[in-house]
Amino acid sequence: MTGNSQPRILAADAAGVVEAAGVLRSGGLVAVPTETVYGLAARADSDAAVAAIYRAKGRPDFNPLIVHVADLTAGEQLALFDERARRLAVAFWPGALTMVLPRRADAPLAGAVTAGLPTVALRCPAHPAMRAVLAETGLALAAPSANRSGAVSPTTAHHVAVSLGDKVDRILDGGSCEAGIESTIVALREDSGWHILRPGPITEEAIRSILGEGSGAGPAEGPIEAPGQLASHYAPGKPVRLDAASAAEDEFHIGFEGVAGDLNLSPSGDLAEAAANLYRALHEAARDERPRVAVAPIPGTAIGAAINDRLRRAAA
Ligand code: TXA
Ligand code: MG
C-alpha cells in the first residue's frame, strides 16, 4: 500500500479515525498525531508493516521502535511489568512516558520492532485522536517519529507531508502537538535502579517522586540501553551554534526569553512553551535562506534538560 505519490490527509474526526484504523489493520502506514510529536504508525505484530516503517524513514535497522498501547492491560500482553513499572503507568499513563521493559516471550511483536533486544519500549499516548485509533484498531502500534531518520521530528501534519509525503498511506491531522518534544524514556533495572535514556516532558524529578532515587549511574554500556541515541539527530541540515546571545548576519537566530531572535521560542521564558515550539523553529530555520542557525541559551532545568538534549544532537 505504501508508495502513493500523495498521501490522503485525513481530518482527525470519526470518519478519519475509522479510515486510518482500516489502513493500519490491513498493514499500511499512517502518520498519527500524539501529544509529543507525530508518529509513523504500523501494526506492531506484522513483519511486513514494520519493515515498511524502517524503509520509509531510511532508518538503520539496529534502532528499535516504541510500541503504543491503549492502556496498561494492553501493555501487559507485551511486556513484564514489575511493581515499579505499574506505579509509573498509574502516575503517567496516558502520557509522555516510555518504559523499556522485559519483552514477554509470547508477545505478538514483529522481530524488527525490538531489533532483536530482549526488551520492548512501551508508551500509552494521551492524544485523543491517537487513543481513538488505538481503540478502533484494537492493535498495538509501532510508531517512531514521522520524519526521515536523523532529521527534525514533525509537530504538524504539514511537517510530515514535507518529509515523508510520498512514503505514507495516510496522514491523520490532529493539529500541532502540545508537548512538542519526544517522550521521556526510562529504563528500569532489575536491581531496582532506574535511569533516563532520553529526557522528555516527564521530568527526572517527577519520576524520582514515584520511584525514589535512581542508581545514580548513567546508562549501562552496550547496545541494549541506548540504541538510537545517536549524537547527530534532529538535524536541520545546516550548522547549528548553541548558547548564542546574538547572531551573525548569515545565521537564522532562534531566540528565547529576552534574546529576541528571528523567532522566539518563548518571550516570557516558559520552558514548556519553548519545547512546544522547538521543532517548528528548527523546521523554519531549515527552510530559511541563511546557511547557519544560532540558538539562544536555554536553562537546563525541568523540560529544559530535554530541550538542550535535542539541541546538542541538532548541533552535533
Ligand atoms: O514521543 C515519542 O516517543 C514519539 C511518539 C511518536 O510516540 N516516538 C519516538 O520514537 O520518539 P522514536 O522511534 O523516534 O524513538 C525511539 C527511541 C529510540 O531512541 C530507540 O533507540 C529507543 O526509543 N528504544 C526503543 N526500544 C528500545 C529498547 N528496547 N531499549 C532501549 N531503547 C529503545
Ligand atoms: Mg525520532
Side-chain angles (χ1 to χ4, degrees):
M1 292 192 65
T2 48
N4 299 335
S5 55
Q6 279 306 319
R8 296 238 341 255
I9 298 188
L10 306 171
D13 54 17
V17 166
V18 167
E19 182 169 340
V23 171
L24 287 164
R25 266 197 304 267
S26 53
L29 293 184
V30 180
V32 290
T34 84
E35 72 276 30
T36 58
V37 300
Y38 274 73
L40 180 59
R43 55 187 302 163
D45 61 355
S46 159
D47 289 321
V50 170
I53 293 180
Y54 281 90
R55 232 178 6 254
K57 282 189 63 98
R59 182 172 200 155
D61 63 5
F62 55 80
N63 194 355
L65 307 175
I66 293 176
V67 177
H68 299 71
V69 292
D71 50 31
L72 176 58
T73 307
E76 287 188 302
Q77 311 298 307
L78 305 177
L80 301 169
F81 284 66
D82 64 11
E83 184 260 336
R84 299 167 301 163
R86 281 204 196 91
R87 285 211 316 265
L88 287 179
V90 167
F92 300 115
W93 280 5
L97 183 74
T98 297
M99 285 188 255
V100 173
L101 299 170
R103 175 198 162 135
R104 288 181 72 111
D106 59 351
L109 290 172
V113 166
T114 54
L117 297 173
T119 50
V120 58
L122 292 184
R123 172 160 110 81
C124 171
H127 194 291
M130 178 61 165
R131 296 191 60 69
V133 169
L134 285 165
E136 182 70 24
T137 58
L139 294 166
L141 297 173
S145 52
N147 51 276
R148 296 280 303 166
S149 189
V152 178
S153 302
T155 53
T156 65
H158 176 72
H159 291 159
V160 180
V162 170
S163 164
L164 291 179
D166 57 347
K167 298 191 170 59
V168 298
D169 295 305
R170 301 286 190 284
I171 298 173
L172 190 61
D173 186 352
S176 294
C177 302
E178 197 182 328
I181 211 162
E182 294 84 349
S183 62
T184 304
I185 304 181
V186 65
L188 301 177
R189 288 214 191 105
E190 274 173 34
D191 66 359
S192 90
W194 57 272
H195 59 259
I196 289 183
L197 297 179
R198 180 176 72 183
I202 308 287
T203 62
E204 187 163 355
E205 299 77 65
I207 293 172
R208 193 176 298 121
S209 76
I210 304 294
L211 294 186
E213 282 303 323
S215 63
E221 304 276 314
I224 293 178
E225 300 284 14
Q229 289 300 84
L230 305 174
S232 177
H233 220 80
Y234 312 101
K238 40 178 99 166
V240 177
R241 185 168 68 87
L242 305 181
D243 291 319
S246 63
E249 229 165 71
D250 67 345
E251 288 176 323
F252 180 90
H253 197 192
I254 297 176
F256 178 76
E257 207 168 10
V259 178
D262 294 301
L263 173 163
N264 197 305
L265 294 175
S266 173
S268 68
D270 178 335
L271 288 168
E273 182 185 27
N277 289 327
L278 178 67
Y279 291 147
R280 188 171 56 77
L282 287 173
H283 281 284
E284 236 170 88
R287 267 201 314 277
D288 193 83
E289 62 194 10
R290 281 162 283 189
R292 293 162 197 289
V293 186
V295 188
I298 297 172
T301 49
I303 197 175
I307 296 173
N308 281 290
D309 169 74
R310 304 308 190 274
L311 285 173
R312 275 194 301 276
R313 293 173 201 282

